[in-house]
Amino acid sequence: MKSTSNSFIKDSISIISSNIFLLLSGVLNGIILPKIMGVTQYGYYKVFSLYAGYIALLHFGFVDGMLLKYGGMDSSKINIKMLRSITRFFIGLQFFVSFIIFIISISFLKNIYRYIFCALSFFIIIYNLQIYFQYFSQAIMNFKLISKINILQSLLVSSIIVVNWIFFINNKIVKLYAMHYIALYESVFAIVLIIFLRIYRRLWLGEVYSYHKIACEIKELFVIGMPVMLSSQIASIILNLDNQIISIFFSPRVFGIYSFAYSLMMVITTVVSALSVVIFPFLNKKSVNNIMAQYSKNLGYLLIFIYGAIIVYYPAELFIRWYLPQYTESLLYFRLLLPGIGISSSISILIFNYYKVIKKSSLYLFYSVIILISSTILNIIAYFITKNSYVIAFISLIILMSWFFLLNYYLIRKYKVQWKKNTIYLIVMVIIFESVSLIDNLYISMLIYIIFYFVISLVLYKKELVILLGDILNLTCK
């Protein structure tokens, strides 16, 4: 048990460390890119980014099925010829889907939107194949490769932004146009895919089975993966629904301002989300009783980490007011939405993986559909009654809280997991941040939040923090 715990901590540190580089590219993407693109071009780029988030729907659950089947499995026990056969099938499927989207985009769309959706059609192949090989790395617990890929990808994206920023400040370019950046951005993913194809060439080059021999295997991957994929994408829709509503009913400028606030939130989410890569393979190797006994403690650790991380709001506000005054308005959205990261991360990183391990992905999907329908209705009603984007942002926070409680209700009822301490901590920290961040003096506000954060964390989680610190010290001493 101790060895497994240390291994989990070690792999988590490795992945999070590599995501520091992703954090760098996230900061550049969120801070410098809006400056050199301008509000309108940045809005167009965020349209591309918004719809790119739905590309994973077009692998139809195949990638998730592969992860579920092979997650935590010893690589020496995998039938490579079978895996090679299903990989070749998946590559063909993605080329076919990409071609259909490209034809539709060319035939029915015009101007910048034709370019955006044509670019998305190419991104389908690049992104979904990259995710396939990344998930395979996750399944066989090759976290070192994932870390190296994260570092390379973030450095390439950062280089593109920095070079264009240098051109901008030296008046070599007036602005960076969305279509140019999208092309450069996709080229980075293409380079990473080529690396994966080379490293895992045995998974797609060589002898394969006939389709008839792999038909049952392919069907199984779709069947077990579809609920997970739908759950994941519906979760993504829920998390981006307010952004979607803003893009439909408000001007490109308002959407650009609102999306900028989301980009700032992604800086934190990028680092935290790294844990989801490690969690599933480790959970999948344990018994249900074992992982449920650890649920409350794991959720507590995650919440402590996140509500410590959102202190970044204060230096971010100072920087934006100084460097990006045209985006100062987005700080109101940022402040309102930021505490929701603790809720959304708990759902996407921990709770979703628990539902997958206990084979309740369909139930997770059912609960998420209920939340999606409720959220859609509330957001549309809010728009037509108030036509106020701040009200929509506030509703998104309420929806996240409701989703968290609904998903936890099943685990509490079925497995009797401890819930009171984590729920109290979550609610209190959200209220404290939303209240304290209203103080005009930024430094006093930050100091008060930090004091509350440490006091409440120590009062509620003193024992857990001592154990975690001991594990980390034991690991570093080895």
Side-chain angles (χ1 to χ4, degrees):
M1 179 67 70
K2 197 73 173 177
S3 175
T4 302
S5 175
N6 287 341
S7 178
F8 175 77
I9 294 173
K10 184 178 180 180
D11 288 329
S12 296
I13 292 173
S14 174
I15 292 292
I16 290 176
S17 298
S18 72
N19 272 38
I20 297 300
F21 289 88
L22 288 177
L23 174 63
L24 170 63
S25 66
V27 169
L28 295 176
N29 191 294
I31 302 298
I32 294 180
L33 202 58
K35 179 78 170 181
I36 61 179
M37 294 184 82
V39 175
T40 301
Q41 289 297 318
Y42 185 69
Y44 287 137
Y45 163 66
K46 293 306 292 185
V47 170
F48 167 83
S49 180
L50 179 65
Y51 287 101
Y54 301 130
I55 280 179
L57 282 169
L58 299 176
H59 65 62
F60 309 109
F62 192 88
V63 172
D64 295 289
M66 184 272 292
L67 176 60
L68 285 173
K69 180 161 185 175
Y70 296 103
M73 184 181 294
D74 188 337
S75 58
S76 63
K77 297 180 181 179
I78 296 175
N79 183 340
I80 294 298
K81 187 175 179 180
M82 175 61 73
L83 195 57
R84 184 186 302 130
S85 302
I86 65 174
T87 302
R88 292 260 281 268
F89 165 82
F90 183 67
I91 292 172
L93 174 65
Q94 292 307 293
F95 270 93
F96 175 76
V97 172
S98 175
F99 177 73
I100 296 299
I101 300 298
F102 178 78
I103 294 299
I104 293 173
S105 302
I106 287 291
S107 302
F108 298 103
L109 299 176
K110 296 180 180 180
N111 303 322
I112 185 66
Y113 290 98
R114 172 184 286 180
Y115 178 86
I116 288 173
F117 280 89
C118 283
L120 285 168
S121 70
F122 290 111
F123 201 48
I124 289 169
I125 299 172
I126 300 169
Y127 181 79
N128 280 345
L129 290 182
Q130 179 181 327
I131 291 298
Y132 178 85
F133 289 113
Q134 184 174 315
Y135 273 30
F136 178 73
S137 302
Q138 183 181 344
I140 62 173
M141 303 175 75
N142 188 356
F143 299 117
K144 288 184 179 179
L145 176 61
I146 297 176
S147 298
K148 291 177 181 177
I149 290 294
N150 285 345
I151 292 172
L152 174 64
Q153 185 169 306
S154 60
L155 289 177
L156 289 173
V157 172
S158 298
S159 298
I160 290 171
I161 297 174
V162 169
V163 168
N164 279 281
W165 179 62
I166 293 172
F167 286 159
F168 177 78
I169 61 177
N170 287 286
N171 297 316
K172 299 297 184 182
I173 58 173
V174 176
K175 67 175 66 174
L176 176 60
Y177 288 92
M179 60 171 52
H180 297 156
Y181 180 71
I182 289 170
L184 293 170
Y185 183 76
E186 288 196 10
S187 69
V188 170
F189 280 80
I191 291 169
V192 170
L193 175 59
I194 291 170
I195 293 172
F196 268 129
L197 288 170
R198 178 174 174 78
I199 292 174
Y200 289 125
R201 53 188 176 274
R202 66 178 185 145
L203 295 187
W204 63 283
L205 291 176
E207 186 180 355
V208 297
Y209 292 117
S210 66
Y211 175 76
H212 297 292
K213 288 187 177 181
I214 65 172
C216 291
E217 179 81 4
I218 290 172
K219 180 181 177 182
E220 180 188 0
L221 296 184
F222 278 125
V223 169
I224 64 175
M226 183 66 76
V228 176
M229 184 273 294
L230 289 176
S231 298
S232 178
Q233 289 306 304
I234 287 177
S236 178
I237 294 171
I238 293 171
L239 295 174
N240 285 282
L241 187 61
D242 52 333
N243 215 11
Q244 187 80 63
I245 294 292
I246 298 293
S247 72
I248 294 172
F249 293 111
F250 292 83
S251 69
R253 182 187 178 281
V254 174
F255 177 62
I257 294 292
Y258 197 86
S259 292
F260 179 70
Y262 261 86
S263 297
L264 293 174
M265 291 171 60
M266 287 302 295
V267 171
I268 300 175
T269 305
T270 296
V271 177
V272 177
S273 63
L275 294 172
S276 64
V277 174
V278 181
I279 285 176
F280 178 74
F282 274 93
L283 292 180
N284 206 36
K285 296 174 71 173
K286 298 182 178 182
S287 68
V288 172
N289 289 336
N290 192 320
I291 65 171
M292 283 304 167
Q294 298 293 314
Y295 174 78
S296 181
K297 184 173 72 172
N298 292 339
L299 181 57
Y301 287 150
L302 184 59
L303 291 174
I304 292 169
F305 179 74
I306 293 170
Y307 285 105
I310 67 172
I311 295 172
V312 75
Y313 166 81
Y314 295 100
E317 179 173 341
L318 285 173
F319 184 84
I320 291 164
R321 291 188 183 279
W322 165 68
Y323 185 70
L324 293 169
Q326 68 270 40
Y327 287 93
T328 301
E329 187 181 345
S330 69
L331 289 171
L332 296 173
Y333 299 117
F334 186 40
R335 182 191 66 79
L336 189 57
L337 294 168
L338 189 57
I341 288 180
I343 309 170
S344 61
S345 296
S346 298
I347 294 170
S348 59
I349 294 173
L350 192 69
I351 299 175
F352 185 34
N353 277 304
Y354 265 82
Y355 270 80
K356 286 194 291 185
V357 171
I358 63 176
K359 305 295 189 294
K360 290 294 181 180
S361 297
S362 296
L363 182 61
Y364 179 95
L365 175 60
F366 174 72
Y367 287 151
S368 298
V369 168
I370 292 174
I371 294 297
L372 176 60
I373 294 171
S374 303
S375 179
T376 303
I377 293 171
L378 286 175
N379 274 288
I380 292 175
I381 291 174
Y383 169 74
F384 284 108
I385 291 177
T386 68
K387 291 184 170 58
N388 189 316
S389 54
Y390 298 105
V391 174
I392 292 174
F394 178 75
I395 287 176
S396 71
L397 190 61
I398 301 300
I399 289 295
L400 282 177
M401 194 74 76
S402 302
W403 192 19
F404 176 83
F405 290 144
L406 182 60
L407 291 170
N408 269 285
Y409 173 73
Y410 174 78
L411 300 179
I412 294 168
R413 181 170 57 86
K414 177 71 174 179
Y415 297 102
K416 312 300 181 189
V417 298
Q418 301 299 311
W419 61 276
K420 292 182 180 179
K421 181 162 48 176
N422 291 326
T423 303
I424 291 171
Y425 184 77
L426 176 64
I427 294 173
V428 169
M429 292 309 300
V430 169
I431 293 173
I432 286 174
F433 181 83
E434 295 289 8
S435 303
V436 170
S437 59
L438 290 172
I439 298 174
D440 290 334
N441 189 309
L442 200 64
Y443 299 101
I444 293 177
S445 175
M446 180 172 65
L447 179 62
I448 293 174
Y449 178 78
I450 291 173
I451 292 172
F452 270 114
Y453 167 73
F454 279 107
V455 169
I456 295 170
S457 298
L458 287 173
V459 168
L460 291 176
Y461 296 107
K462 181 179 178 180
K463 180 180 178 182
E464 289 85 349
L465 288 172
V466 169
I467 294 173
L468 179 62
L469 182 61
D471 287 340
I472 294 174
L473 289 175
N474 288 335
L475 185 63
T476 55
C477 291
K478 289 186 177 181

